Amino acid sequence: MFKIAKYISLDIIKSKVIIAYTLLLAAICVSIFMADEDVTKGLVSITTVMLIIVPLVSVVYATTYYFNASEFTELLVSQPISRKNILMGKYLGISAAILGAFLLGVGVPVLLFALSVTGLTLILTGSLLTLCFISLAFLSSVLMRDKAKGIGLALMMWFYCSIIFDGLVLVFLFAFSDYPLEKVLIAITAFNPIDLARILILLQLDIAALMGYTGALYQQFFGSGIGIAFTLIMLMVWFLLPLWASLRIFKKKDL
Amino acid sequence: MEDIIQIKQLQKSFGKLQVLKQVDCNFSRGGIVGVLGPNAAGKTTLIKSILGMVIPDGGEILFDGKSIANSFEYKKNIGYMPQIGRYPDNMKIGDLFDMMKDLRGVYEHLDTDLIAAYGLDAMYNKAMHTLSGGTRQKVSAALAFLFNPPVLILDEPTAGLDPLSAEILKDKILQEKAKGKLILITSHILNEVDELADKVMYLLDGNIKFYKTLADLKAETGEQRLGKALTKILS
Amino acid sequence: MFNNSLYLRVLLMLFIGSMHAQTFAKTIIVAPNTKVNSLKIAIALASNGDTILVKKGTYASHNTIVNKQVTIIGEGMPVLDAQFKEEVLTIKADHVKLDGFVIQNSKVGDLRDYAGIRIFQARNTTISNNQLKNNFFGIYISDSHQVKIINNTLTGTAQERKAGNGIQGWKSDSIEVARNHVSGHRDGIYFEFVQHSKVYQNVSENNLRYGLHFMFSNDNSFINNKFTTNQAGIAVMYSKRIKMLHNQFNENWGSSIYGLLLKEILDSHIEGNIFYKNTSAIFMESCNRNKIIKNSFLNNGWAIRILSNCEDNQFSINNFKGNSFDVTTNGELLENKFSNNYWDKYEGYDLNKDGKGDVPYRPISLYAQIIERVPQSVILMRSFIVNLLDKVERSIPSITPLSVKDDSPQMKPWKILSK
């Protein structure tokens, strides 16, 4: 498993896409930090950008790579290696490379310019988000036989998490604005890893506290130990559950 | 001779399409079996079933007397050459061989005849994505033989190779047969099977139409060439 | 002759007058273990114009009444302690000066507002350089004129039910409150019916309710004060012609907390203040004809929340930076003018290079209006969809009030307030 992971990540880090991704992230972070002396504001801007780019690149790149390496996967399956080790090896390899890109591109600038609890939270959630979307990419890859369909599904997942879901939440809020929805909303956010990540970071930034009664209420939950644990656990679920599902499917999949 | 691979009532469908209907056959050690049949007859599915790449819907496959379901250890004994070999793009040839050794955990008693014969060792520093289809086939072939396995499964082995390289491969196949190995070959090139095979299996619509020695086939039909014999027996 | 004799008479009177002062103005010393061992005894002995010098020590003082025109000076910060039984001191005479005391432990009352120092119907009073600790109310000024409260430190009990206001003014005129530090009280500084007064260079922080709170108090000015982390921020109401200049309103945040709440404030001037990290920097209700200029709004939740019953207010030359929302309102805003402000969210361009953006800035974002209607939607803050909606709304406004716009947004922040 680790051997496969090693070879795959060594293969990926030589690819231009991953280098471009690293440089893009680094360029965004550094320019944001350079443009504004206010570090907190910089972190907010980075969060906004990160919440769009990181899931998108993770899910699309992982799906593409999965399909491009499908013949290689066949070769591996013909070797005396268990399917579990093959899939997990691939997962480890791909996520190590993408995560490495994220840590270099975002982690290093954040540590240099904004070493704080907030900065570390941003790095942690960004990493978890990367893993979540690689898991989702794997799920979509094992569900689909065809590369185009696989990438299509992966994009749909991203689209759902970053736009559609929040749109539905907004509609829901307007429809039921007369009811006390705070607790329901907390539960609802668990269904979207991007929302979880966003809230976790924003609460570190005190912004919720500045947002009046409702904001304070959310902070009371998400800012508490239980709330942080809840958010992190849900993010872990978002990363482990699709991975577990794709492993089950992959074990029975015809190649 | 002892049967190393036994296939019992193997069934496989892809959606509504029944690719293997009810396949029963045994392959014994030593000898070359040519698996023939028209497109979509189930040749590749049969091979992939043996390799555990396709999970059968029914029936079972025994390797050395043991079921291969949920097992992968038996693949140590198989060398496989796929129809189209694709490898990680940025990997170099040398790295690929090293990786396969690493993955299998085997570093000794390697058969590097083909690497030498194809001059692959001189190209160790070339990345896979720079290679032509033919060169990649050579790499695939060299990999299949590298670990000296008792069973070789070759899917259209000479398809992308130039005639000279194809000859080298055929010589190698015969050499290995002489060592008592089982070699399964699918091919569209009947001459090749004619040259190499001891037995011929003919698949049609997911069933074995016939499975007999080349000599028997020729004797039955009274033809000297496989192509003619096939036409005769199938008509 | 007649002229001459008048001249002599006046001279004589002046001479006698000064003789009188020199002869009878005395200094009375209060010290422990002497005959005069309390302020009360000293006051009983004193005449108008006398000085009472209190030596270092701790003196019980159960509502000592200062009813003579005396100067009371503490040497080495003597302590006047009411032992939670009464007020500490009440000043009822004019021309009293009190300097250099620790004044502590007034009674806590539900019906009466017990104070450390009460100034009642007095004129020309000066309270300076004292430390007031643990009193229910700190300094309570009522029906008085020309009172100066200078350089005192007031520390309240910081307990919800036992905290009164720090410096309270009631029905008074021409009060000067300067360089004091108030904390742990209910309201740091509270004025009701106080006119023509000046409050400057004070720090009011960590109070249980408002840092500054006033109502029905016209023509006052508040300059260079600092109001930080008060539990309900600052609230000022029902007053006219107020000047609030160069104050800092910092970190007054939490639910329903305002950096500066303005209710029925008319014809006032709010200039050069810094609002940093408040939930709502300024909240305005029924306020008319005010000028809000040259202020900095930095990192607030809402910079300005203005209800639609406000008219004729002018917002100019302010800096808006890092606020989650710049402006929100609950309806159509009429006759309020935004001009020449710097908005960090402005994305326009300046082709003619005059330093002003060529397209107007609309400070009310769609999402801000959504939150105004459905507060729970704060959970979608900074999400992609919200950014998207805001971008669309800014280019094709359809829901946000059209009247609210700055036609001359600055391209660069004003330099007023890098403090």
Side-chain angles (χ1 to χ4, degrees), chain A residues 38 44 48 52 198 207 209-210, chain C residues 253 279 299 379 381-382 387:
Chain A
D38 185 347
V44 173
T48 312
I52 300 168
R198 181 170 52 79
I207 280 181
L210 293 182
Chain C
W253 52 267
T279 299
N299 298 43
I379 202 152
M381 206 163 141
R382 300 203 176 272
N387 292 345

Side-chain angles (χ1 to χ4, degrees), chain A residues 85-243:
Chain A
N85 280 353
I86 293 170
L87 195 80
M88 294 310 287
K90 273 179 102 166
Y91 186 85
L92 275 178
I94 293 176
S95 44
I98 301 182
L99 201 56
F102 171 78
L103 290 176
L104 273 179
V106 174
V108 171
V110 166
L111 288 181
L112 285 179
F113 288 92
L115 181 57
S116 60
V117 179
T118 315
L120 292 173
T121 312
L122 187 139
I123 296 171
L124 176 70
T125 34
S127 307
L128 278 171
L129 212 52
T130 304
L131 294 177
C132 288
F133 277 85
I134 299 174
S135 287
L136 288 172
F138 268 56
L139 187 60
S140 112
S141 302
V142 295
L143 281 173
M144 296 291 163
R145 288 203 73 84
D146 176 51
K147 181 173 169 180
K149 280 185 188 163
I151 293 176
L153 180 63
L155 276 174
M156 280 300 296
M157 288 173 176
W158 172 79
F159 200 63
Y160 162 81
C161 289
S162 52
I163 300 179
I164 296 175
F165 185 88
D166 288 346
L168 292 176
V169 169
L170 203 56
V171 172
F172 171 80
L173 277 172
F174 265 93
F176 298 98
S177 59
D178 298 335
Y179 300 87
L181 289 174
E182 287 81 3
K183 292 217 170 90
V184 183
L185 274 174
I186 288 171
I188 285 179
T189 53
F191 289 91
N192 183 354
I194 296 184
D195 276 0
L196 284 170
R198 181 170 52 79
I199 290 166
L200 194 62
I201 301 171
L202 286 188
L203 285 175
Q204 289 298 322
L205 289 168
D206 284 346
I207 280 181
L210 293 182
M211 296 320 306
Y213 175 73
T214 323
L217 210 71
Y218 289 137
Q219 190 175 39
Q220 208 173 39
F221 177 76
F222 286 109
S224 69
I226 294 173
I228 291 170
F230 167 83
T231 317
L232 288 176
I233 289 170
M234 286 320 295
L235 276 171
M236 297 290 271
V237 168
W238 269 102
F239 132 57
L240 293 173
L241 200 67
L243 184 61

Side-chain angles (χ1 to χ4, degrees), chain C residues 28 30 39 136 143 179 186 190 204 260 275 285 299 328 340 345 350 381:
Chain C
I28 300 164
V30 180
L39 189 57
F136 184 42
D143 300 290
R179 298 191 296 279
R186 186 171 65 202
Y190 176 81
S204 177
L260 177 57
F275 297 87
E285 188 181 337
N299 298 43
T328 63
N340 294 88
K345 294 185 187 62
D350 178 20
M381 206 163 141

